Amino acid sequence: MWKPLNLTPAEPYRIKVVEPVRLLPRDERLRRIREAHYNVFYLRSRDIYIDLLTDSGTSAMSASQMAALMMGDESYAGAESFYHLLESVREVMGFPYVLPTHQGRGAENVAFRTLLKKGDIVPGNGHFDTTRAHIVDKGGVPLDLPIPEALDPEVMHPFKGNIDLKGLENLLSSREGDRVPLVLMTITNNTYGGHPVSMDNIRRASEIAREYGKLFLMDVARFAENAWLIKERDPAYRDVSIREIVREMMSYADAVLFSAKKDALVNIGGFIALRDKELYERMARFLILHEGFPTYGGLAGRDLEAMAVGLREVLDETYLSWRIGQVRYLWSRLVENGIPVVKPYGGHAVYIDALKFLPHIPQSMFPADTLAAELYVEAGVRGVGLGSLAFAEVDRETGKVRYPKTEYMRLAIPRRVYTNLHMDWVAEGLRRLMERRDEVRGLRLVYPSMDTPLRHFIARLKPVEG
Ligand SMILES: Cc1ncc(COP(=O)(O)O)c(C=O)c1O
């Protein structure tokens, strides 16, 4: 087992602006979840005490980022703010060309519209759901090739986000290989537990892609957290700076897709960064149609400024040690309380195995979403179910439901927003819920039907009777 890197004893900031949150009395929380059809997406944020629905777009900005907002150049073309972002991307990631987008999925849309044709296969270590949806939208076939350890919540592998290199090589050397235009690595691997990808795995995957003449792209939404976990878990990188680790990771990619709502510490934004001028020009044509002129790409000048500052701030090793330390803190509190968590901790979230937490509730009654609804009632905390409600598939011919292999509830931690006292409250809520878990009943889907895509966002549920 690796030794965790811990440099920061407490939050490496002091609080200048506060946003009040309130814990409603329990009977009101019960009423609110009933009114929300037992689906946490329907809750109003004012009724939530600690919101761990997502780490995306929920970061607290720094005083420097707030100051940079005032420097926004709102010109349609040639804005100074774009050039500030360009300089920052060149310095941090080393790519010469940048196309801003309104957020990560905007980058996915433009990149895949440029690169994919009907029937193409896109292999990766674990495509995020919007990535998957954009590949399908262009007539492509997304293919996840995680390592087998990624599917076992008990295994303490340091880099469970890795791609199965053998599987990738087999695909590219087979007849199907002709249908693959690119390989996409997602760093960290959000879909399979927010686990990091090792430097060796990135390098080897890029070499394999190159050997077969394929483009090698990375989704780098959480690039700095991945770099920190490489430093923590690979002894060869212990003494290498985060800046250098990031530059090496990026050096293997032809282009990256970026949701700035994570590791650029902003509330909105994204970009595509590339090495090749011709590819940049082809993508710029789609960018103008779908996002905006290439020097703003669907964002205000002030958003570009905040991103430029956030990209540099996120490399601060004191910040990263505290950030990952907070995820580890919550994870460790839960382990101590006997809560069945996915092992080990990753970069942005703690995942709870709902099948073990609620063993009496079958997947047909949505244990992960039941757990999320019950945690809100117990503690005013919002997590999110990532299980059968979101991922079960209905066989078109037989009508039989295929349930996913994993049934997790995710607690994603916003960056620089909560203290470890908040984390203690989350852990205490789960401990109390564990004590009364036998009385928890599962849920049934009232609306829409099980074969509706992205149904978990709009689902209305009811407790199972009896
Ligand atoms: C790995 C990954 N890629 C892409 C996206 C999509 O980014 P956005 O929400 O900015 O569109 C997300 C969002 O959570 C993500 O986690």
Side-chain angles (χ1 to χ4, degrees):
M1 174 62 178
W2 58 89
K3 209 166 125 259
L5 289 173
N6 210 355
L7 307 173
T8 313
E11 283 74 9
Y13 53 79
R14 53 187 180 179
I15 297 166
K16 181 157 10 198
V17 177
V18 295
E19 183 182 10
V21 288
R22 59 179 184 158
L23 178 62
L24 293 177
R26 187 188 179 92
D27 58 339
E28 286 215 30
R29 300 201 295 269
L30 257 172
R31 181 143 19 101
R32 296 289 193 273
I33 198 72
R34 221 176 288 134
E35 286 165 2
H37 311 286
Y38 298 88
N39 179 350
V40 294
F41 282 103
Y42 283 118
L43 289 171
R44 291 182 66 158
S45 82
R46 65 175 191 187
D47 298 331
I48 293 163
Y49 183 44
I50 300 174
D51 198 351
L52 307 185
L53 181 71
T54 177
D55 65 317
S56 178
T58 52
S59 300
M61 290 212 281
S62 66
S64 308
Q65 284 177 297
M66 289 289 186
L69 292 181
M70 292 310 294
M71 300 306 289
D73 175 349
E74 306 301 345
S75 306
Y76 186 95
E80 260 321 278
S81 304
F82 169 74
Y83 291 97
H84 293 160
L85 175 66
L86 184 62
E87 272 168 41
S88 186
V89 176
R90 286 179 175 170
E91 176 194 313
V92 172
M93 298 185 173
F95 293 95
Y97 300 105
V98 178
L99 292 165
T101 60
H102 77 283
Q103 59 183 85
R105 67 200 71 182
E108 290 163 359
N109 185 35
V110 169
F112 297 143
R113 232 164 241 289
T114 312
L115 296 171
L116 298 188
K117 59 179 191 320
K118 211 163 180 282
D120 280 351
I121 301 171
V122 182
N125 54 336
H127 299 309
F128 182 65
D129 53 14
T130 58
T131 318
R132 181 170 279 279
H134 273 296
I135 293 169
V136 171
D137 181 55
K138 314 312 176 259
V141 183
L143 178 67
D144 285 357
L145 297 171
I147 56 170
E149 291 88 340
L151 300 174
D152 184 344
E154 291 300 320
V155 174
M156 280 294 281
H157 188 291
F159 294 105
K160 273 172 135 175
N162 284 355
I163 193 168
D164 174 2
L165 293 167
K166 199 94 213 89
L168 180 63
E169 190 141 31
N170 287 345
L171 172 71
L172 296 185
S173 61
S174 72
R175 232 186 308 128
E176 304 263 84
D178 292 343
R179 290 169 56 197
V180 176
L182 62 97
V183 176
L184 178 72
M185 287 285 266
T186 301
I187 282 165
T188 58
N189 191 339
N190 188 10
T191 301
Y192 291 95
H195 296 294
V197 183
S198 74
M199 192 71 91
D200 284 350
N201 194 256
I202 298 172
R203 190 182 53 249
R204 276 297 299 136
S206 78
E207 284 166 0
I208 294 170
R210 223 145 270 153
E211 210 178 298
Y212 288 90
K214 313 297 181 190
L215 281 175
F216 188 70
L217 265 58
M218 298 204 296
D219 171 335
V220 293
R222 300 179 179 85
F223 72 97
E225 291 169 4
N226 200 86
W228 179 263
L229 292 166
I230 287 177
K231 188 177 169 81
E232 177 181 87
R233 297 178 189 183
D234 182 345
Y237 288 88
R238 262 269 145 147
D239 300 319
V240 183
S241 75
I242 291 295
R243 262 178 193 273
E244 285 171 272
I245 295 175
V246 167
R247 284 302 285 261
E248 183 180 342
M249 277 168 24
M250 300 292 170
S251 73
Y252 299 120
D254 295 302
V256 295
L257 312 178
F258 185 54
S259 168
K261 297 170 73 174
K262 287 85 175 173
D263 269 355
L265 303 167
V266 290
N267 305 119
I268 195 72
F271 58 72
I272 304 169
L274 318 88
R275 283 185 214 293
D276 184 67
K277 183 151 188 264
E278 193 263 336
L279 191 54
Y280 160 81
E281 283 172 350
R282 277 168 58 208
M283 287 194 187
R285 292 202 284 272
F286 284 112
L287 190 90
I288 294 167
L289 182 63
H290 293 281
E291 298 286 311
F293 190 74
T295 59
Y296 76 87
L299 292 168
R302 64 181 75 97
D303 299 324
L304 302 172
E305 293 284 353
M307 249 200 294
V309 175
L311 266 185
R312 292 188 175 108
E313 274 182 9
V314 80
L315 300 181
D316 176 1
E317 303 201 4
T318 309
Y319 157 73
L320 280 171
S321 82
W322 166 80
R323 160 70 179 162
I324 303 293
Q326 183 168 60
V327 175
R328 189 174 74 234
Y329 179 82
L330 176 60
W331 184 86
S332 308
R333 291 289 82 76
L334 298 184
V335 170
E336 279 163 26
N337 289 348
I339 309 294
V341 292
V342 173
K343 292 172 186 152
Y345 56 89
H348 70 289
V350 175
Y351 295 67
I352 292 159
D353 189 342
L355 289 174
K356 291 210 182 89
F357 198 107
L358 298 170
H360 57 294
I361 299 183
Q363 279 187 288
S364 58
M365 295 181 194
F366 313 115
D369 300 271
T370 303
L371 187 53
E374 289 289 337
L375 181 60
Y376 173 70
V377 173
E378 189 60 51
V381 174
R382 174 159 71 170
V384 67
L386 297 174
S388 43
L389 183 62
F391 303 125
E393 286 170 352
V394 181
D395 189 301
R396 281 222 189 123
E397 263 144 48
T398 62
K400 251 188 101 170
V401 181
R402 272 193 309 271
Y403 290 104
K405 289 201 181 79
T406 57
E407 186 79 31
Y408 297 151
M409 183 189 63
R410 187 186 73 179
L411 300 169
I413 306 182
R415 296 170 181 79
R416 305 194 289 210
V417 172
Y418 294 115
T419 67
N420 283 355
L421 269 184
H422 289 110
M423 298 301 116
D424 286 342
W425 177 255
V426 175
E428 173 59 13
L430 277 160
R431 191 194 62 75
R432 289 204 310 253
L433 186 51
M434 186 88 168
E435 273 178 8
R436 65 168 183 85
R437 64 177 165 167
D438 292 344
E439 69 194 44
V440 172
R441 283 180 290 155
L443 297 167
R444 67 183 170 84
L445 184 61
V446 176
Y447 169 87
S449 59
M450 264 311 265
D451 56 1
T452 309
L454 300 176
R455 61 191 166 268
H456 54 299
F457 292 115
I458 53 168
R460 296 200 292 262
L461 303 128
K462 274 209 164 123
V464 172
E465 323 279 291

